[in-house]
Amino acid sequence: MRRRFNVSMLFVLLTVWGLVFAPPAYAYIDAGTGSYLFQLLIAGLFAGAFMIKMFWKSIKAFLKSRFSGLGKREEDDE
Amino acid sequence: MTNRQNIPGSFRDPSGFLFHRDGVLYRQVNIAYQENYDSLIDSGLYERLVADGLLIPHQEADLAYAQSAEVYKIIKPEMIPFVSYPYEWSFSQLKAAALTTLQIQKKSLDLGMSLKDCSAYNIQFGGGKPIFIDTLSFEKYREGQPWVAYKQFCQHFLAPLALMKYTDVRLHQLLRVYLDGIPLDLASSLLPFRTRLVFPLLCHIHLHAKSQKHFADKSIDMTGRRMSRLGLLGLIDSLTTIIDRLQWQPTGTQWADYYTFTNYSPQALEHKKHLVGEFLDGLNPKTVWDLGANVGLFSRVASSKGIQTISFDNDPAAVEKNYLECVSNGETNLLPLVADLTNPSPGIGWENEERMSLLQRGPADTVLALALVHHLAISNNLPLDRIAAFFSHICGSLIIEFIPKSDSQVQRLLSTREDIFPDYTPAAFEAKFSKYFTVESSAKIRDSERTLYLMKNRTVPV
């Protein structure tokens, strides 16, 4: 649990670092001003949706491991 | 004496280009791409993608093959048996290509890289699966950088798939008109209103198109505008989810139920399969094109013998069914494609050379033209000698079926039109084809009025 916390903290720090210091992007294809700015506009929305999805997945994984762990312990007790 | 030729489809990217030397395909990696190429290799991404069957493997080759002074590396990619294009793919083929591209982008981000372009032409089908062929499409990911290929991904994959599902499956042909994918304002205007109620489509197509229009003539300073990594991952996840959800059922089209409405008896069908197999055994071709293949019943006679077989049909529903069967059976040497023989894929792009015409991608060792000639001659008014000339351009040998006017299928075609085809007879058919082919063998198909011919090309196909 402690390890997961550390990884999350590192992730947040990296994101903040990126937000503050990232260079402008140039590419050989035209990213398109409208497309480029639109991504920035919707990024927060998709970030939130993605976080909720990941959070839900980890809860499901936790519950699954918890119950399968309990089941296993009960089997061991028997 | 070496024969060198740069490939016209690869000149846009300054990172490098493809060329042929003595019939072998090479890719020059330019010095401008050195940092990204080294990152692709050193990060382990190349190894991981190749191991997962997502990226074409390559070997580094002799620098003496360099085509210009800007060379950093010369690589020799593994060859794809047949180059196909997105406007020739069925719905599920384009969907598989889209999901493969997103899967690659996710794995790239995991290892600190990102796709710098997202052209559907970067995907080919090899061994029955979509595979990414442009080794120079990767760049180092910089935190805060939005996805430069987002617009291209929406134009090349999401817009055509949404149009195929919600408007008409034939609209993937727009990719033939728009080389860099379907413009989002066009897709937005062609999609029905209800797609605005599907949040990812509202976002990635309709609002995206409005944003493009709004900022079209504006000069914006991009300095300091950044996108979080989480936002980028969310964007990729959203695109993956919507594309995964898009489904299309092939029903109600011309050929989708052909074999249930045919006038064949089971004996005739089995005998025809047997004859095709026997002729193929005699020829032992490496490549077969089955033209007018429907769902690929006879293509599988060839592919089951280990022959690289391309199964062409003009009905997207038949091609879809054929592809789904390939996937379900894990078939590796059969590729179904959409093609209208009366208007086959032309050379398109700059100087008509960036994407090859269908004929440029031939000839095949053997062509199967089964129950096809009556459609070309009677439904499309193509004279028999022009049909024979066309086949002489695309194959070394030909397995072709002639169906006489007395057959109920031909009668059906003639039932709604005047019979202006006095030359449509077995004798005229043999005479016209004899100008280009020698008839090696022929056999009546049991329990039918049809004849199957094995012919060899007298001329060298061009």
PDB file of all heavy atoms in Angstrom, chain A residues 18-47:
ATOM      1  N   GLY A  18       5.762  18.338 -15.871  1.00  0.00           N
ATOM      2  CA  GLY A  18       5.483  18.421 -17.310  1.00  0.00           C
ATOM      3  C   GLY A  18       4.650  19.636 -17.644  1.00  0.00           C
ATOM      4  O   GLY A  18       4.910  20.329 -18.617  1.00  0.00           O
ATOM      5  N   LEU A  19       3.660  19.932 -16.808  1.00  0.00           N
ATOM      6  CA  LEU A  19       2.777  21.064 -17.071  1.00  0.00           C
ATOM      7  C   LEU A  19       3.530  22.381 -17.024  1.00  0.00           C
ATOM      8  O   LEU A  19       3.243  23.309 -17.760  1.00  0.00           O
ATOM      9  CB  LEU A  19       1.639  21.071 -16.052  1.00  0.00           C
ATOM     10  CG  LEU A  19       0.524  20.065 -16.312  1.00  0.00           C
ATOM     11  CD1 LEU A  19      -0.409  19.987 -15.115  1.00  0.00           C
ATOM     12  CD2 LEU A  19      -0.260  20.440 -17.563  1.00  0.00           C
ATOM     13  N   VAL A  20       4.527  22.416 -16.157  1.00  0.00           N
ATOM     14  CA  VAL A  20       5.244  23.677 -15.975  1.00  0.00           C
ATOM     15  C   VAL A  20       6.363  23.859 -17.005  1.00  0.00           C
ATOM     16  O   VAL A  20       6.562  24.932 -17.544  1.00  0.00           O
ATOM     17  CB  VAL A  20       5.820  23.759 -14.536  1.00  0.00           C
ATOM     18  CG1 VAL A  20       6.643  25.025 -14.348  1.00  0.00           C
ATOM     19  CG2 VAL A  20       4.669  23.728 -13.534  1.00  0.00           C
ATOM     20  N   PHE A  21       7.069  22.764 -17.293  1.00  0.00           N
ATOM     21  CA  PHE A  21       8.300  22.927 -18.078  1.00  0.00           C
ATOM     22  C   PHE A  21       8.269  22.367 -19.506  1.00  0.00           C
ATOM     23  O   PHE A  21       9.263  22.378 -20.190  1.00  0.00           O
ATOM     24  CB  PHE A  21       9.472  22.277 -17.338  1.00  0.00           C
ATOM     25  CG  PHE A  21       9.757  22.949 -16.020  1.00  0.00           C
ATOM     26  CD1 PHE A  21       9.420  22.336 -14.823  1.00  0.00           C
ATOM     27  CD2 PHE A  21      10.323  24.213 -15.992  1.00  0.00           C
ATOM     28  CE1 PHE A  21       9.671  22.958 -13.610  1.00  0.00           C
ATOM     29  CE2 PHE A  21      10.574  24.841 -14.775  1.00  0.00           C
ATOM     30  CZ  PHE A  21      10.247  24.223 -13.577  1.00  0.00           C
ATOM     31  N   ALA A  22       7.138  21.836 -19.968  1.00  0.00           N
ATOM     32  CA  ALA A  22       7.129  21.201 -21.286  1.00  0.00           C
ATOM     33  C   ALA A  22       7.394  22.197 -22.407  1.00  0.00           C
ATOM     34  O   ALA A  22       6.914  23.319 -22.379  1.00  0.00           O
ATOM     35  CB  ALA A  22       5.786  20.550 -21.519  1.00  0.00           C
ATOM     36  N   PRO A  23       8.175  21.772 -23.426  1.00  0.00           N
ATOM     37  CA  PRO A  23       8.448  22.653 -24.556  1.00  0.00           C
ATOM     38  C   PRO A  23       7.282  22.631 -25.545  1.00  0.00           C
ATOM     39  O   PRO A  23       6.499  21.698 -25.533  1.00  0.00           O
ATOM     40  CB  PRO A  23       9.678  22.013 -25.189  1.00  0.00           C
ATOM     41  CG  PRO A  23       9.534  20.550 -24.861  1.00  0.00           C
ATOM     42  CD  PRO A  23       8.793  20.463 -23.562  1.00  0.00           C
ATOM     43  N   PRO A  24       7.161  23.639 -26.419  1.00  0.00           N
ATOM     44  CA  PRO A  24       6.131  23.564 -27.446  1.00  0.00           C
ATOM     45  C   PRO A  24       6.437  22.436 -28.419  1.00  0.00           C
ATOM     46  O   PRO A  24       7.598  22.101 -28.643  1.00  0.00           O
ATOM     47  CB  PRO A  24       6.217  24.924 -28.148  1.00  0.00           C
ATOM     48  CG  PRO A  24       7.574  25.448 -27.840  1.00  0.00           C
ATOM     49  CD  PRO A  24       7.960  24.860 -26.515  1.00  0.00           C
ATOM     50  N   ALA A  25       5.390  21.809 -29.002  1.00  0.00           N
ATOM     51  CA  ALA A  25       5.593  20.662 -29.891  1.00  0.00           C
ATOM     52  C   ALA A  25       5.636  21.109 -31.345  1.00  0.00           C
ATOM     53  O   ALA A  25       4.838  21.921 -31.770  1.00  0.00           O
ATOM     54  CB  ALA A  25       4.441  19.687 -29.694  1.00  0.00           C
ATOM     55  N   TYR A  26       6.599  20.582 -32.094  1.00  0.00           N
ATOM     56  CA  TYR A  26       6.638  20.809 -33.531  1.00  0.00           C
ATOM     57  C   TYR A  26       6.715  19.449 -34.196  1.00  0.00           C
ATOM     58  O   TYR A  26       7.336  18.535 -33.683  1.00  0.00           O
ATOM     59  CB  TYR A  26       7.849  21.653 -33.916  1.00  0.00           C
ATOM     60  CG  TYR A  26       7.819  23.018 -33.279  1.00  0.00           C
ATOM     61  CD1 TYR A  26       8.645  23.335 -32.211  1.00  0.00           C
ATOM     62  CD2 TYR A  26       6.924  23.983 -33.739  1.00  0.00           C
ATOM     63  CE1 TYR A  26       8.588  24.589 -31.610  1.00  0.00           C
ATOM     64  CE2 TYR A  26       6.862  25.244 -33.143  1.00  0.00           C
ATOM     65  CZ  TYR A  26       7.707  25.532 -32.082  1.00  0.00           C
ATOM     66  OH  TYR A  26       7.649  26.761 -31.506  1.00  0.00           O
ATOM     67  N   ALA A  27       6.069  19.288 -35.342  1.00  0.00           N
ATOM     68  CA  ALA A  27       6.045  17.986 -35.998  1.00  0.00           C
ATOM     69  C   ALA A  27       6.086  18.188 -37.500  1.00  0.00           C
ATOM     70  O   ALA A  27       5.783  19.278 -37.994  1.00  0.00           O
ATOM     71  CB  ALA A  27       4.784  17.239 -35.610  1.00  0.00           C
ATOM     72  N   TYR A  28       6.452  17.122 -38.222  1.00  0.00           N
ATOM     73  CA  TYR A  28       6.511  17.275 -39.674  1.00  0.00           C
ATOM     74  C   TYR A  28       5.113  17.271 -40.286  1.00  0.00           C
ATOM     75  O   TYR A  28       4.906  17.760 -41.367  1.00  0.00           O
ATOM     76  CB  TYR A  28       7.420  16.216 -40.294  1.00  0.00           C
ATOM     77  CG  TYR A  28       6.743  14.915 -40.621  1.00  0.00           C
ATOM     78  CD1 TYR A  28       6.215  14.696 -41.895  1.00  0.00           C
ATOM     79  CD2 TYR A  28       6.610  13.910 -39.674  1.00  0.00           C
ATOM     80  CE1 TYR A  28       5.585  13.510 -42.201  1.00  0.00           C
ATOM     81  CE2 TYR A  28       5.985  12.738 -39.976  1.00  0.00           C
ATOM     82  CZ  TYR A  28       5.478  12.533 -41.239  1.00  0.00           C
ATOM     83  OH  TYR A  28       4.845  11.367 -41.537  1.00  0.00           O
ATOM     84  N   ILE A  29       4.114  16.690 -39.557  1.00  0.00           N
ATOM     85  CA  ILE A  29       2.743  16.840 -40.045  1.00  0.00           C
ATOM     86  C   ILE A  29       2.111  18.020 -39.317  1.00  0.00           C
ATOM     87  O   ILE A  29       2.527  18.365 -38.217  1.00  0.00           O
ATOM     88  CB  ILE A  29       1.889  15.562 -39.829  1.00  0.00           C
ATOM     89  CG1 ILE A  29       1.793  15.175 -38.352  1.00  0.00           C
ATOM     90  CG2 ILE A  29       2.399  14.409 -40.648  1.00  0.00           C
ATOM     91  CD1 ILE A  29       0.693  14.193 -38.046  1.00  0.00           C
ATOM     92  N   ASP A  30       1.111  18.623 -39.953  1.00  0.00           N
ATOM     93  CA  ASP A  30       0.452  19.767 -39.332  1.00  0.00           C
ATOM     94  C   ASP A  30      -0.547  19.256 -38.296  1.00  0.00           C
ATOM     95  O   ASP A  30      -1.525  18.608 -38.650  1.00  0.00           O
ATOM     96  CB  ASP A  30      -0.253  20.580 -40.429  1.00  0.00           C
ATOM     97  CG  ASP A  30      -0.973  21.785 -39.852  1.00  0.00           C
ATOM     98  OD1 ASP A  30      -0.716  22.114 -38.676  1.00  0.00           O
ATOM     99  OD2 ASP A  30      -1.786  22.376 -40.571  1.00  0.00           O
ATOM    100  N   ALA A  31      -0.242  19.532 -37.033  1.00  0.00           N
ATOM    101  CA  ALA A  31      -1.141  19.065 -35.975  1.00  0.00           C
ATOM    102  C   ALA A  31      -2.463  19.824 -36.021  1.00  0.00           C
ATOM    103  O   ALA A  31      -3.468  19.348 -35.509  1.00  0.00           O
ATOM    104  CB  ALA A  31      -0.483  19.243 -34.614  1.00  0.00           C
ATOM    105  N   GLY A  32      -2.474  20.987 -36.678  1.00  0.00           N
ATOM    106  CA  GLY A  32      -3.701  21.775 -36.811  1.00  0.00           C
ATOM    107  C   GLY A  32      -3.962  22.569 -35.547  1.00  0.00           C
ATOM    108  O   GLY A  32      -4.069  21.991 -34.464  1.00  0.00           O
ATOM    109  N   THR A  33      -4.078  23.911 -35.683  1.00  0.00           N
ATOM    110  CA  THR A  33      -4.269  24.756 -34.499  1.00  0.00           C
ATOM    111  C   THR A  33      -5.530  24.352 -33.736  1.00  0.00           C
ATOM    112  O   THR A  33      -5.520  24.194 -32.512  1.00  0.00           O
ATOM    113  CB  THR A  33      -4.385  26.244 -34.922  1.00  0.00           C
ATOM    114  OG1 THR A  33      -3.306  26.528 -35.803  1.00  0.00           O
ATOM    115  CG2 THR A  33      -4.337  27.168 -33.734  1.00  0.00           C
ATOM    116  N   GLY A  34      -6.626  24.161 -34.486  1.00  0.00           N
ATOM    117  CA  GLY A  34      -7.907  23.795 -33.870  1.00  0.00           C
ATOM    118  C   GLY A  34      -7.823  22.479 -33.134  1.00  0.00           C
ATOM    119  O   GLY A  34      -8.354  22.333 -32.029  1.00  0.00           O
ATOM    120  N   SER A  35      -7.129  21.501 -33.735  1.00  0.00           N
ATOM    121  CA  SER A  35      -7.007  20.170 -33.111  1.00  0.00           C
ATOM    122  C   SER A  35      -6.126  20.244 -31.873  1.00  0.00           C
ATOM    123  O   SER A  35      -6.393  19.614 -30.854  1.00  0.00           O
ATOM    124  CB  SER A  35      -6.385  19.175 -34.093  1.00  0.00           C
ATOM    125  OG  SER A  35      -7.212  19.027 -35.201  1.00  0.00           O
ATOM    126  N   TYR A  36      -5.056  21.037 -31.991  1.00  0.00           N
ATOM    127  CA  TYR A  36      -4.073  21.171 -30.917  1.00  0.00           C
ATOM    128  C   TYR A  36      -4.722  21.805 -29.683  1.00  0.00           C
ATOM    129  O   TYR A  36      -4.670  21.273 -28.569  1.00  0.00           O
ATOM    130  CB  TYR A  36      -2.933  22.046 -31.442  1.00  0.00           C
ATOM    131  CG  TYR A  36      -1.655  21.986 -30.661  1.00  0.00           C
ATOM    132  CD1 TYR A  36      -0.643  21.105 -31.032  1.00  0.00           C
ATOM    133  CD2 TYR A  36      -1.436  22.834 -29.579  1.00  0.00           C
ATOM    134  CE1 TYR A  36       0.549  21.064 -30.333  1.00  0.00           C
ATOM    135  CE2 TYR A  36      -0.245  22.796 -28.870  1.00  0.00           C
ATOM    136  CZ  TYR A  36       0.741  21.914 -29.251  1.00  0.00           C
ATOM    137  OH  TYR A  36       1.922  21.857 -28.568  1.00  0.00           O
ATOM    138  N   LEU A  37      -5.429  22.919 -29.918  1.00  0.00           N
ATOM    139  CA  LEU A  37      -6.058  23.628 -28.795  1.00  0.00           C
ATOM    140  C   LEU A  37      -7.238  22.835 -28.242  1.00  0.00           C
ATOM    141  O   LEU A  37      -7.500  22.859 -27.038  1.00  0.00           O
ATOM    142  CB  LEU A  37      -6.510  25.030 -29.235  1.00  0.00           C
ATOM    143  CG  LEU A  37      -5.360  25.987 -29.530  1.00  0.00           C
ATOM    144  CD1 LEU A  37      -5.884  27.295 -30.103  1.00  0.00           C
ATOM    145  CD2 LEU A  37      -4.548  26.274 -28.260  1.00  0.00           C
ATOM    146  N   PHE A  38      -7.931  22.118 -29.134  1.00  0.00           N
ATOM    147  CA  PHE A  38      -9.076  21.321 -28.691  1.00  0.00           C
ATOM    148  C   PHE A  38      -8.639  20.229 -27.722  1.00  0.00           C
ATOM    149  O   PHE A  38      -9.291  19.964 -26.718  1.00  0.00           O
ATOM    150  CB  PHE A  38      -9.786  20.719 -29.910  1.00  0.00           C
ATOM    151  CG  PHE A  38     -11.019  19.948 -29.550  1.00  0.00           C
ATOM    152  CD1 PHE A  38     -12.145  20.595 -29.058  1.00  0.00           C
ATOM    153  CD2 PHE A  38     -11.069  18.566 -29.692  1.00  0.00           C
ATOM    154  CE1 PHE A  38     -13.286  19.886 -28.719  1.00  0.00           C
ATOM    155  CE2 PHE A  38     -12.199  17.855 -29.352  1.00  0.00           C
ATOM    156  CZ  PHE A  38     -13.318  18.520 -28.869  1.00  0.00           C
ATOM    157  N   GLN A  39      -7.479  19.629 -28.020  1.00  0.00           N
ATOM    158  CA  GLN A  39      -6.930  18.602 -27.111  1.00  0.00           C
ATOM    159  C   GLN A  39      -6.692  19.174 -25.728  1.00  0.00           C
ATOM    160  O   GLN A  39      -6.993  18.542 -24.715  1.00  0.00           O
ATOM    161  CB  GLN A  39      -5.584  18.104 -27.639  1.00  0.00           C
ATOM    162  CG  GLN A  39      -5.629  17.005 -28.642  1.00  0.00           C
ATOM    163  CD  GLN A  39      -4.214  16.504 -28.909  1.00  0.00           C
ATOM    164  OE1 GLN A  39      -3.669  15.714 -28.150  1.00  0.00           O
ATOM    165  NE2 GLN A  39      -3.625  16.971 -29.990  1.00  0.00           N
ATOM    166  N   LEU A  40      -6.108  20.395 -25.711  1.00  0.00           N
ATOM    167  CA  LEU A  40      -5.807  21.022 -24.418  1.00  0.00           C
ATOM    168  C   LEU A  40      -7.094  21.286 -23.637  1.00  0.00           C
ATOM    169  O   LEU A  40      -7.154  21.110 -22.424  1.00  0.00           O
ATOM    170  CB  LEU A  40      -5.063  22.341 -24.631  1.00  0.00           C
ATOM    171  CG  LEU A  40      -3.708  22.231 -25.340  1.00  0.00           C
ATOM    172  CD1 LEU A  40      -3.127  23.624 -25.582  1.00  0.00           C
ATOM    173  CD2 LEU A  40      -2.733  21.411 -24.504  1.00  0.00           C
ATOM    174  N   LEU A  41      -8.138  21.671 -24.394  1.00  0.00           N
ATOM    175  CA  LEU A  41      -9.421  21.989 -23.786  1.00  0.00           C
ATOM    176  C   LEU A  41     -10.067  20.761 -23.151  1.00  0.00           C
ATOM    177  O   LEU A  41     -10.598  20.818 -22.043  1.00  0.00           O
ATOM    178  CB  LEU A  41     -10.334  22.554 -24.880  1.00  0.00           C
ATOM    179  CG  LEU A  41     -11.607  23.241 -24.424  1.00  0.00           C
ATOM    180  CD1 LEU A  41     -11.260  24.593 -23.803  1.00  0.00           C
ATOM    181  CD2 LEU A  41     -12.549  23.458 -25.616  1.00  0.00           C
ATOM    182  N   ILE A  42     -10.005  19.634 -23.869  1.00  0.00           N
ATOM    183  CA  ILE A  42     -10.712  18.436 -23.379  1.00  0.00           C
ATOM    184  C   ILE A  42      -9.828  17.565 -22.488  1.00  0.00           C
ATOM    185  O   ILE A  42     -10.314  16.609 -21.890  1.00  0.00           O
ATOM    186  CB  ILE A  42     -11.274  17.584 -24.544  1.00  0.00           C
ATOM    187  CG1 ILE A  42     -10.146  17.128 -25.476  1.00  0.00           C
ATOM    188  CG2 ILE A  42     -12.352  18.339 -25.314  1.00  0.00           C
ATOM    189  CD1 ILE A  42     -10.590  16.165 -26.569  1.00  0.00           C
ATOM    190  N   ALA A  43      -8.537  17.909 -22.410  1.00  0.00           N
ATOM    191  CA  ALA A  43      -7.590  17.053 -21.683  1.00  0.00           C
ATOM    192  C   ALA A  43      -8.027  16.821 -20.237  1.00  0.00           C
ATOM    193  O   ALA A  43      -7.991  15.690 -19.742  1.00  0.00           O
ATOM    194  CB  ALA A  43      -6.203  17.662 -21.721  1.00  0.00           C
ATOM    195  N   GLY A  44      -8.491  17.902 -19.576  1.00  0.00           N
ATOM    196  CA  GLY A  44      -8.884  17.790 -18.166  1.00  0.00           C
ATOM    197  C   GLY A  44     -10.027  16.809 -17.991  1.00  0.00           C
ATOM    198  O   GLY A  44     -10.025  15.977 -17.071  1.00  0.00           O
ATOM    199  N   LEU A  45     -10.988  16.910 -18.925  1.00  0.00           N
ATOM    200  CA  LEU A  45     -12.156  16.040 -18.894  1.00  0.00           C
ATOM    201  C   LEU A  45     -11.757  14.566 -19.030  1.00  0.00           C
ATOM    202  O   LEU A  45     -12.163  13.701 -18.250  1.00  0.00           O
ATOM    203  CB  LEU A  45     -13.055  16.443 -20.067  1.00  0.00           C
ATOM    204  CG  LEU A  45     -14.495  15.999 -20.036  1.00  0.00           C
ATOM    205  CD1 LEU A  45     -15.218  16.702 -18.903  1.00  0.00           C
ATOM    206  CD2 LEU A  45     -15.160  16.364 -21.373  1.00  0.00           C
ATOM    207  N   PHE A  46     -10.915  14.308 -20.036  1.00  0.00           N
ATOM    208  CA  PHE A  46     -10.494  12.925 -20.267  1.00  0.00           C
ATOM    209  C   PHE A  46      -9.566  12.428 -19.159  1.00  0.00           C
ATOM    210  O   PHE A  46      -9.575  11.244 -18.821  1.00  0.00           O
ATOM    211  CB  PHE A  46      -9.842  12.770 -21.647  1.00  0.00           C
ATOM    212  CG  PHE A  46     -10.849  12.792 -22.760  1.00  0.00           C
ATOM    213  CD1 PHE A  46     -10.802  13.764 -23.743  1.00  0.00           C
ATOM    214  CD2 PHE A  46     -11.868  11.857 -22.808  1.00  0.00           C
ATOM    215  CE1 PHE A  46     -11.748  13.792 -24.749  1.00  0.00           C
ATOM    216  CE2 PHE A  46     -12.822  11.874 -23.822  1.00  0.00           C
ATOM    217  CZ  PHE A  46     -12.757  12.844 -24.797  1.00  0.00           C
ATOM    218  N   ALA A  47      -8.780  13.347 -18.612  1.00  0.00           N
ATOM    219  CA  ALA A  47      -7.903  12.961 -17.490  1.00  0.00           C
ATOM    220  C   ALA A  47      -8.747  12.505 -16.313  1.00  0.00           C
ATOM    221  O   ALA A  47      -8.493  11.470 -15.692  1.00  0.00           O
ATOM    222  CB  ALA A  47      -7.011  14.142 -17.100  1.00  0.00           C
TER     223      ALA A  47
END
